[in-house]
Amino acid sequence: MNKKTVRDVDVRGKKALVRVDFNVPQAKTGEITDDSRIRAALPTIRYLLDNGAAAILMSHLGRPKGKTAPEFSLRRVASRLEELLSVPVRLAPAVRGPEVARMVREVGPGQVLMLENTRFEPGEEKNDPTLAKELASYGDVFVNDAFGAAHRAHATTAGIAAHIPAVAGLLMQKEIEALGGILHAPERPFVAIIGGAKIAEKIQVLESLTERVDTLLIGGGMSNTFMASLGRPMANTPVESDKFDEARRIVAAAASRGVTLELPTDMVCADAFSETANVRTINGPVPDGWMALDIGPESQENFSRYIRKAATVFWNGPVGVFEMAPFRGGTDAVARAVAECGGMTVVGGGDSLAAVEQAGVADRIKHLSTGGGASLEFMEGKTLPGVAALLDK
Ligand code: ADP
Ligand code: MG
């Protein structure tokens, strides 16, 4: 990797200002329902503490839109981190200001201070230079470990880097190395599986992938738009008719570059968008009154054959409505095939990670990316502002 990491700088006796991605899912009661993002940041935090630094943590949580809102407080995150780390975690009452500055002065080597939700500050998402400068004054070195927020140019993901040395945390490093590896030097054959509800948010990654992969497997709601754009009757299946031209363009781009593009041949269809709907597998035009909600057994087998033989796999987006039992078979099959693949396998996206967990194969995937939007933009070949801001080696 051509960016400096926390291992390339001397952190002893320093105050490290660490941007983490603690934007965890919470139940309505505020309970943290999945703490993987907190766990993912532990190696960097432990490294800093073990090497004599003080860790001052910054994260956003949800969308408080520039205003202090108690329901978006990092209080529960701080106490979960304290349990996981077995080190006291003090939570500052705000993101900045005299009281925060006092707590920052007091924090010593081996200790942890967490600032409040960075999005309580209106300057955060605007990348306000005044906010970035004030926050930068709290630390000697900026460690960015929030890969999941690296596609945003915010004060705490990019702005601070203008004032103090900026390096990658260990999670950020792992993400850049895994995704960078398959983007720039993939072993072949390289197979990508793209699914999810809508084509709209994934057109750019699809276009980028047609320049990089050997095989593109398309499933999920978006494959219905592809099939409809190619003239297949889809009956009651929701399709994005304003995206037909784009879908056809991607099909043509794949063909002109010699990329094999596979769509489902059979689909699990239902007579309503419901777990209790009538269900049947359809191998031709979708009949009136029916909608396609998953890929069928023949398509599962076809996709799995490509995936198992691949040397590199990138997967984003479930290939069916995996949240409902009758329509999770396709996604489970894809997850198992990715787990069985002996090559480099990378899965990104919130729902995709949930699907891999649900299929029980998470520990057999080589790299689970913590970034949804960030991993997609990375695979589009874009420069992420949070990565660009780090010091070069
Ligand atoms: P990720 O979070 O991994 O990036 P997305 O958010 O893009 O994935 O897509 C996940 C959503 O796509 C799921 O909620 C799933 O129900 C939906 N989906 C997948 N296939 C279909 C389909 N055939 N029809 C409707 N929705 C679908
Ligand atoms: Mg999602």
Side-chain angles (χ1 to χ4, degrees), residues 137-206:
S137 75
Y138 295 162
D140 306 302
V141 58
F142 172 48
V143 179
N144 192 349
D145 214 21
F147 178 75
H151 57 314
R152 312 269 185 232
H154 293 169
T156 64
T157 62
I160 291 173
H163 304 281
I164 51 175
V167 297
L170 304 176
L171 172 64
M172 176 73 90
Q173 175 184 15
K174 203 166 100 187
E175 292 277 9
I176 298 173
E177 284 175 355
L179 291 165
I182 68 167
L183 184 71
H184 299 298
E187 300 271 340
R188 296 190 178 276
F190 182 2
V191 176
I193 312 107
I194 303 294
K198 289 202 179 123
I199 195 175
E201 54 203 29
K202 297 190 183 171
I203 286 170
Q204 282 170 300
V205 79
L206 286 166

Side-chain angles (χ1 to χ4, degrees), residues 195-198 201-202 219-224 237-238 273 292-295 315-324 331 348-354 372-373 376:
K198 289 202 179 123
E201 54 203 29
K202 297 190 183 171
M222 71 162 72
S223 65
N224 298 328
T237 311
F273 190 83
L293 296 179
D294 194 10
I295 64 172
W315 178 23
N316 171 275
V319 295
V321 184
F322 76 107
E323 300 94 333
M324 298 186 196
T331 302
D351 292 292
S352 307
L353 294 199
L376 282 182

Side-chain angles (χ1 to χ4, degrees), residues 6-7 11-12 16 18 20 22 38-57 80-87 89 109-112 143 145 169-171:
V6 68
R7 293 186 199 278
V11 297
R12 191 158 298 276
V18 193
V20 286
F22 285 170
I38 305 178
R39 291 173 188 275
L42 294 176
T44 297
I45 299 170
R46 287 208 178 102
Y47 176 88
L48 288 165
L49 304 181
D50 291 348
N51 284 277
I56 301 165
L57 308 179
R80 178 61 60 88
L81 174 65
E82 189 165 276
E83 283 165 33
L84 294 170
L85 207 54
S86 306
V87 169
V89 175
Q111 296 180 337
V112 183
V143 179
D145 214 21
L170 304 176
L171 172 64

Side-chain angles (χ1 to χ4, degrees), residues 136-384:
S137 75
Y138 295 162
D140 306 302
V141 58
F142 172 48
V143 179
N144 192 349
D145 214 21
F147 178 75
H151 57 314
R152 312 269 185 232
H154 293 169
T156 64
T157 62
I160 291 173
H163 304 281
I164 51 175
V167 297
L170 304 176
L171 172 64
M172 176 73 90
Q173 175 184 15
K174 203 166 100 187
E175 292 277 9
I176 298 173
E177 284 175 355
L179 291 165
I182 68 167
L183 184 71
H184 299 298
E187 300 271 340
R188 296 190 178 276
F190 182 2
V191 176
I193 312 107
I194 303 294
K198 289 202 179 123
I199 195 175
E201 54 203 29
K202 297 190 183 171
I203 286 170
Q204 282 170 300
V205 79
L206 286 166
E207 275 174 351
S208 162
L209 288 170
T210 60
E211 293 170 15
R212 303 171 196 279
V213 302
D214 302 290
T215 304
L216 186 55
L217 308 173
I218 301 181
M222 71 162 72
S223 65
N224 298 328
T225 296
F226 272 91
M227 289 186 279
S229 81
L230 300 174
R232 188 162 175 173
M234 299 302 292
N236 287 27
T237 311
V239 294
E240 299 152 86
S241 42
D242 57 328
K243 295 290 178 289
F244 284 179
D245 285 346
E246 261 126 334
R248 284 190 288 250
R249 211 177 60 229
I250 288 159
V251 171
S256 75
R257 293 179 179 129
V259 171
T260 306
L261 187 150
E262 294 279 323
L263 292 166
T265 49
D266 58 344
M267 283 98 67
V268 177
C269 294
D271 60 359
F273 190 83
S274 155
E275 204 139 15
T276 54
N278 293 305
V279 173
R280 56 194 264 214
T281 298
I282 306 253
N283 216 318
V286 178
D288 276 348
W290 292 74
M291 61 183 83
L293 296 179
D294 194 10
I295 64 172
E298 183 185 283
S299 310
Q300 292 171 25
E301 191 41 46
N302 183 38
F303 281 21
S304 298
R305 251 196 320 269
Y306 281 108
I307 294 165
R308 282 193 295 259
K309 281 191 293 194
T312 304
V313 170
F314 175 70
W315 178 23
N316 171 275
V319 295
V321 184
F322 76 107
E323 300 94 333
M324 298 186 196
F327 317 113
R328 63 176 273 190
T331 302
D332 278 353
V334 167
R336 282 195 303 272
V338 177
E340 283 160 18
C341 171
M344 176 59 178
T345 50
V346 178
V347 180
D351 292 292
S352 307
L353 294 199
V356 160
E357 288 285 348
Q358 183 173 293
V361 298
D363 57 340
R364 291 161 63 201
I365 311 289
K366 309 288 187 314
H367 181 73
L368 297 172
S369 178
T370 52
S375 61
L376 282 182
E377 288 196 24
F378 196 107
M379 291 308 291
E380 285 164 24
K382 282 192 187 143
T383 305
L384 309 187

